[in-house]
Amino acid sequence: MKLSAEQIEICRKIISSQIKYQETLEEVLDHVISAIEGMPESNETIMTLTEQVIDRDFGGKNNLKAMEKEREKVLLKALYRKQKIYFLEHFKFPLISFTLLLALTSYLTVDTYINRKVFLIALDIFSFSPVLLLCFKSFGIQLSGSKKSIKIAPLLQVSYLSIAMFNIFNFVPKLFYNDNYKFLIRTNTAVLSVITVFFVVYTISFIKLYREEIKMKLA
């Protein structure tokens, strides 16, 4: 039996109410349409047929949700591995030259040509930019009326590392000194250069990961 555009839309709404992510919606919808169109003509409603296929081939809506959670875990591990690879590439030829230049530039310019507070504001921007990038993307997806990608939540977890490191540098030293102690303000220039390299390289690596996993595939 051949499904009409109206029937396909009914299928989409039924499946959409049972799952969380756009990728799952597209995969299950394609499967359900193919399964129903492969059936002989029936007096059953499209709603009943859709539910039958979901129960038979996916184990019901609860199993669909469990499948999504499992895919999230697998995807998170894969994204962490990719981020690590992209990050470490900056410490190998040929990108090591960029990393060394970045370290040297930050070492020579901070406190000499750039006020340290201004420098740290730039560092703030780098540490929070991965999360902000994903927030803007999520907002755009919501405006479009689509379901969010399964990749958004795992990517957010990957992006939180830069914020976590920034908080460590800001707040952990206060446990050993006092509440007014500001590590990034008082630390020597060499240490600050190393910290700068971490945040800049991590952000660049994350943007590469983002473009590969989200922007190019969901645009």
Side-chain angles (χ1 to χ4, degrees):
M1 58 182 293
K2 183 70 174 177
L3 296 183
S4 65
E6 182 180 353
Q7 289 174 317
I8 291 174
E9 186 58 29
I10 293 172
C11 286
R12 178 184 294 275
K13 289 180 179 179
I14 294 170
I15 298 166
S16 181
S17 67
Q18 298 180 7
I19 52 90
K20 189 176 180 181
Y21 299 116
Q22 184 67 26
E23 291 89 346
T24 311
L25 173 60
E26 293 172 358
E27 177 187 343
V28 176
L29 179 62
D30 286 344
H31 180 88
V32 169
I33 291 173
S34 297
I36 294 177
E37 289 186 337
M39 295 178 178
E41 290 294 332
S42 171
N43 293 325
E44 298 283 359
T45 65
I46 192 63
M47 182 180 296
T48 300
L49 293 175
T50 300
E51 295 287 357
Q52 286 177 354
V53 173
I54 292 174
D55 289 340
R56 183 192 69 195
D57 297 349
F58 295 98
K61 62 180 181 181
N62 290 333
N63 202 52
L64 282 176
K65 294 177 181 178
M67 180 181 72
E68 286 188 318
K69 289 182 179 179
E70 185 60 31
R71 287 185 176 181
E72 274 186 349
K73 294 177 183 178
V74 173
L75 183 58
L76 179 60
K77 292 180 181 179
L79 291 177
Y80 268 126
R81 283 196 298 268
K82 279 190 176 183
Q83 174 69 2
K84 181 181 179 181
I85 290 170
Y86 295 155
F87 182 83
L88 293 178
E89 282 178 352
H90 289 82
F91 299 92
K92 300 176 183 178
F93 184 81
L95 293 180
I96 185 66
S97 56
F98 164 79
T99 306
L100 292 173
L101 181 61
L102 173 64
L104 181 62
T105 301
S106 62
Y107 180 79
L108 294 177
T109 56
V110 69
D111 298 332
T112 303
Y113 299 102
I114 302 175
N115 179 277
R116 182 167 289 215
K117 289 185 178 180
V118 174
F119 190 83
L120 292 178
I121 290 174
L123 212 56
D124 284 351
I125 294 172
F126 271 103
S127 64
F128 283 90
S129 58
V131 173
L132 293 175
L133 190 65
L134 284 171
C135 288
F136 283 127
K137 185 64 181 181
S138 297
F139 183 67
I141 292 174
Q142 287 180 346
L143 288 180
S144 70
S146 300
K147 283 188 170 292
K148 66 180 180 179
S149 169
I150 195 172
K151 297 176 181 179
I152 294 293
L155 276 170
L156 272 173
Q157 292 187 56
V158 175
S159 71
Y160 287 152
L161 179 59
S162 63
I163 296 178
M165 292 300 295
F166 185 82
N167 287 333
I168 288 172
F169 291 132
N170 268 300
F171 300 113
V172 171
K174 294 180 180 180
L175 299 176
F176 301 96
Y177 296 94
N178 58 66
D179 289 342
N180 295 320
Y181 183 81
K182 296 181 179 180
F183 173 78
L184 294 177
I185 291 291
R186 298 190 181 186
T187 190
N188 66 63
T189 307
V191 173
L192 188 59
S193 298
V194 172
I195 294 172
T196 300
V197 167
F198 169 81
F199 283 117
V200 173
V201 170
Y202 193 87
T203 300
I204 292 173
S205 303
F206 184 83
I207 290 173
K208 182 178 180 180
L209 181 68
Y210 167 85
R211 287 177 60 84
E212 180 180 310
E213 297 294 331
I214 294 292
K215 193 172 182 180
M216 294 178 65
K217 294 182 180 180
L218 296 183

